[in-house]
Amino acid sequence: MTSRNDQLDLLCSQVSDHYVFPDVANEIVAVLRGRIAEGSYTGLDDDAAFAEAVTRDLQSVNGDKHLRLLHSVEVVPEHDAFDLEAYREQAGLCAYGFARVELLAGNVGLLDIRSLYDAGLAGERATAAMTLVAGADALIVDLRRNGGGSPNMIALLCSYLFDEPTHLNSLYWRASDTTEQYWTLPYVPGARYGGEKPVYVLTSAYTFSGAEELSYNLQSRSRATIVGETTRGGAHPGTRYYIGPHLKSAVPSGRAINPVTGTNWGGAGVQPDLKVAADDALDVAYGLALQHVLTLGEEGARRPVADAARGALQELG
């Protein structure tokens, strides 16, 4: 059985070798070495408590929420490989991340997305969801319970919300010293919602990683109004490595670079345009969407839509 010192030595090596900011990696390792010398981790025999204490120190230098020591109830394999079948099963058991897809009263679309699975796996579900809301007059995208996911799915979803080719985000990778760009797609199956109608994105303090990227992409292009709380602030993707039978590290090796701002949401989180409690965000956004619907007229086929919008506004109070 490896000792705590052996595990910490391994963690320091992983941070030094892989962390996206080499200079910051040196600072983080110095903090860990100092804490070891102080005996700060002595007596932390419980893996969960040990992981929590080490994570606090890992994040103390620059607040990187993706840099963590993780406790696993299940045994961690020494040579962990991505389990595609388990990933497929997980996605299938949660509707591929689309918890709720609905056309609300007043012709307002609602997408409640809990996870952003890879587009190669969940693309058909994304197409079905976006096609359903394509004819809505306004769209609400609920990311309050979303902890992140694939940049490919983010690019696919954004492709339904723009009319012109749009550079959404780039990811720089330390290992290869290369930058990968993500753009909207020139073609999407189904119908586009389009680049003109209003979009409202709901966020919370739980919203993280890829869900933050989706929010930030749209906000930076003035394509959406962000309603809710400041997000958690994780903008650096990476890899997980073996530390012990029930411990693994999460070490970011990449960083997001927004083409508009030149930076990302790391540490600070995505700042809402309308700051409200997460529990109130849907009602606030829905009210704004309904007010927009009522500006579109009441002639012909629009009359029942306007009536429904007025009724829904009255219910909101």
Side-chain angles (χ1 to χ4, degrees), residues 71-96:
H71 171 251
S72 171
V73 174
E74 303 294 331
V75 174
V76 178
E78 288 194 41
H79 303 287
D80 197 10
F82 179 68
D83 190 336
L84 179 59
E85 288 308 310
Y87 184 69
R88 288 181 185 277
E89 182 179 11
Q90 179 189 60
L93 290 172
C94 64
Y96 295 85

Side-chain angles (χ1 to χ4, degrees), residues 278-293:
D279 288 344
D280 299 328
L282 177 56
D283 284 350
V284 171
Y286 189 29
L288 292 172
L290 291 169
Q291 291 171 21
H292 167 75
V293 171

Side-chain angles (χ1 to χ4, degrees), residues 135-154:
D137 292 318
L139 177 62
I140 299 170
V141 181
D142 190 348
L143 301 178
R144 291 176 294 174
R145 302 169 188 84
N146 195 308
S150 169
N152 292 325
M153 175 56 77
I154 297 165

Side-chain angles (χ1 to χ4, degrees), residues 2 10 14-15 18 20 36 94 110 118 135 150 188 193 198 201 209 259 262 269 287 306 310:
T2 57
L10 181 56
Q14 292 166 354
V15 172
H18 303 295
V20 62
I36 293 168
C94 64
L110 173 64
D118 186 83
S150 169
V188 291
Y193 175 78
V201 175
S209 193
R310 270 191 295 270

Side-chain angles (χ1 to χ4, degrees), residues 19-21 63-67 169-173 207-213 216 231-238 252-258 263-270:
Y19 189 58
V20 62
F21 303 110
D64 191 333
K65 300 297 194 301
H66 272 114
L67 180 61
N169 188 43
S170 294
L171 288 175
Y172 168 80
W173 300 103
T207 306
F208 189 56
S209 193
E212 294 180 280
E213 189 211 315
Y216 197 79
T231 61
R232 284 171 63 190
H236 304 139
S253 54
R255 63 183 175 93
I257 306 170
N258 181 274
T263 183
N264 60 48
W265 59 95
V270 179

